[in-house]
Amino acid sequence: MALIHGKINPHEIENVLTKMFSPEWLRETAAKVGYVQRNRKIDPVTFFWVLVLGFGTGLQRTIASLRRAYETASAETLVPSSFYDRFNKKLIAFLKACLAHGIVELAKHVSLTLSDKLKGFKDLMVADGSIVRLHDNLAAQFPGARGKAELKIHTVIGLTSNKKSIAIYPGKTADIKTMRIGPWVKDNILLFDLGYFKYELFSRIRKNKGYFVSRFKQSANPTIVSVLHAYRGNPVEKAQGGPPPA
């Protein structure tokens, strides 16, 4: 990706996004999920980009402001109700399809491979969650932890494969409750942050013959039971308060 004065070229970002979500793909997908049944004033391509690019961190946008942005981008004048009616369950299906497509496209460009030290494992799986602020009117369906209405998107993505999973929860849902451990973790290394730190989770990963990497909580008091690498001296005894190595 090209850089301008040490920064990413915005035109390069635009090219990548428009290639990932081409007008043909967006219109075909909108028709496939039933979001668009026949040609109308509201074009799914313009609507998608206005909706996606109309939000950002710390921004408060209303549907009315999005309608005005759409009218500017499309050079069309819309009756407010015709725009508001587009926010329905079929729009959710359309955006879910777009999200899944974006993740698949990003995975295609992954060129990471596990090092020789990790060649005994199938994959390195990264788990994390993101919070999206919602309109306060959605607080009953998606109560938040820091705001009235929030959505938590939990993802698990394989860095060397196309394996992935996406799940949506209310924003106040604890990270640990979004992790579903099963046979899929076998021979994989699962990487996550302290939000998922729980010994019960570690036990489930082990029972399914998987592995994990996590930082320790400050309150943790681990006991070293084995060392898988040869070191000079006796670092295990030193770490446990034993005599220093000779």
Side-chain angles (χ1 to χ4, degrees):
M1 186 170 288
L3 299 179
I4 298 179
H5 301 299
K7 297 182 179 180
I8 297 176
N9 186 343
H11 296 294
E12 191 72 15
I13 297 176
E14 179 183 353
N15 292 336
V16 171
L17 290 175
T18 52
K19 183 178 180 180
M20 183 180 298
F21 297 101
S22 67
E24 296 78 13
W25 186 89
L26 288 171
R27 291 192 177 99
E28 180 182 346
T29 304
K32 184 177 180 180
V33 301
Y35 183 59
V36 174
Q37 297 179 351
R38 60 182 182 272
N39 291 330
R40 294 182 177 179
K41 277 190 175 182
I42 297 183
D43 175 36
V45 177
T46 307
F47 187 87
F48 172 80
W49 289 118
V50 167
L51 186 60
V52 170
L53 301 180
F55 289 92
T57 304
L59 293 179
Q60 291 288 342
R61 298 298 301 270
T62 63
I63 296 180
S65 67
L66 290 174
R67 177 176 61 84
R68 291 191 293 270
Y70 181 90
E71 290 179 334
T72 300
S74 64
E76 294 277 1
T77 301
L78 302 175
V79 177
S81 60
S82 67
F83 185 79
Y84 301 158
D85 289 345
R86 305 309 298 170
F87 291 83
N88 51 41
K89 291 184 178 180
K90 291 183 179 179
L91 172 60
I92 296 175
F94 176 52
L95 294 179
K96 281 185 176 180
C98 292
L99 177 60
H101 175 73
I103 292 176
V104 170
E105 288 298 307
L106 288 175
K108 289 181 179 178
H109 299 285
V110 173
S111 59
L112 298 177
T113 57
L114 296 180
S115 66
D116 290 340
K117 293 182 179 180
L118 301 176
K119 64 182 179 181
F121 301 99
K122 288 183 179 179
D123 201 357
L124 177 61
M125 312 292 292
V126 180
D128 203 359
S130 298
I131 294 292
V132 179
R133 286 290 306 275
L134 302 176
H135 193 280
D136 290 347
N137 289 345
L138 296 173
Q141 291 78 18
F142 296 98
R146 294 178 291 273
K148 289 185 178 180
E150 293 176 336
L151 184 73
K152 175 171 288 188
I153 304 175
H154 173 73
T155 60
V156 179
I157 301 176
L159 295 186
T160 65
S161 68
N162 288 327
K163 292 181 179 179
K164 57 194 171 297
S165 69
I166 306 172
I168 296 176
Y169 300 89
K172 71 174 185 179
T173 306
D175 287 339
I176 189 65
K177 293 184 178 181
T178 66
M179 185 77 77
R180 298 290 184 265
I181 300 301
W184 63 271
V185 304
K186 182 179 179 181
D187 296 329
N188 290 317
I189 304 177
L190 194 56
L191 181 65
F192 44 77
D193 61 24
L194 284 176
Y196 301 90
F197 190 99
K198 191 173 184 180
Y199 296 111
E200 181 184 354
L201 175 69
F202 302 160
S203 177
R204 294 202 305 269
I205 294 174
R206 185 177 180 183
K207 287 180 180 179
N208 283 275
K209 300 181 179 179
Y211 304 85
F212 63 90
V213 175
S214 172
R215 291 187 294 122
F216 267 120
K217 287 186 175 180
Q218 291 184 349
S219 59
N221 185 23
T223 299
I224 299 175
V225 296
S226 64
V227 178
L228 304 180
H229 194 283
Y231 294 92
R232 295 182 60 185
N234 193 343
V236 174
E237 287 190 356
K238 184 177 181 181
Q240 295 178 338

